[in-house]
Amino acid sequence: MKIITLCGSTKFKEQFEEVNAFLTLQGNIVISLAFFEQSEGFEINEKQAELLGNLHFRKIDISDEIFVIDVKGYIGSSTKREIEYAKEKGKAIRYYSEGDSLLL
């Protein structure tokens, strides 16, 4: 059993849900996003965005690895920072686009 934090753009809500279910059914503890502001049209201010970013770094801290949901290879600036942070912390990194995605 591993603790895995999902990282990626909030516009990929469907893929987040799919990966969350897949990894959970493999016996992992999966940490995801609280909400998907881009997919759901939820507005956040700059202070809230900073808070969410810091919370996500803490999620990475308690994880064994991150799973990057990079649909069609898309990785935005926030996700790039999360990947770099995970590398600095010695976390394993897997990518949706590399076929570590789903067999559902």
Side-chain angles (χ1 to χ4, degrees):
M1 177 186 334
K2 293 187 260 183
I3 300 173
I4 303 170
T5 293
L6 304 182
C7 298
S9 172
T10 61
K11 62 185 170 182
F12 299 133
K13 180 181 180 182
E14 182 178 317
Q15 289 84 1
F16 267 84
E17 291 172 344
E18 189 178 12
V19 171
N20 190 340
F22 178 76
L23 294 174
T24 298
L25 289 172
Q26 289 183 329
N28 299 293
I29 298 168
V30 180
I31 303 172
S32 191
L33 305 176
F35 53 88
F36 297 85
E37 57 267 18
Q38 289 185 60
S39 295
E40 298 171 345
F42 191 84
E43 300 275 335
I44 60 171
N45 62 38
E46 191 173 319
K47 186 175 180 178
Q48 291 168 325
E50 184 178 338
L51 170 68
L52 292 173
N54 288 332
L55 286 170
H56 213 71
F57 286 145
R58 299 300 72 79
K59 292 175 183 180
I60 293 169
D61 286 340
I62 63 173
S63 296
D64 299 304
E65 70 178 58
I66 67 169
F67 192 106
V68 180
I69 299 173
D70 59 334
V71 177
K72 296 183 182 176
Y74 177 80
I75 297 175
S77 59
S78 294
T79 304
K80 285 179 186 174
R81 284 191 301 274
E82 293 163 359
I83 293 167
E84 288 305 312
Y85 185 83
K87 284 180 183 176
E88 289 172 13
K89 298 294 182 177
K91 306 294 180 174
I93 301 169
R94 290 194 290 161
Y95 293 86
Y96 182 88
S97 66
E98 292 181 354
D100 286 329
S101 57
L102 311 170
L103 305 172
L104 292 176

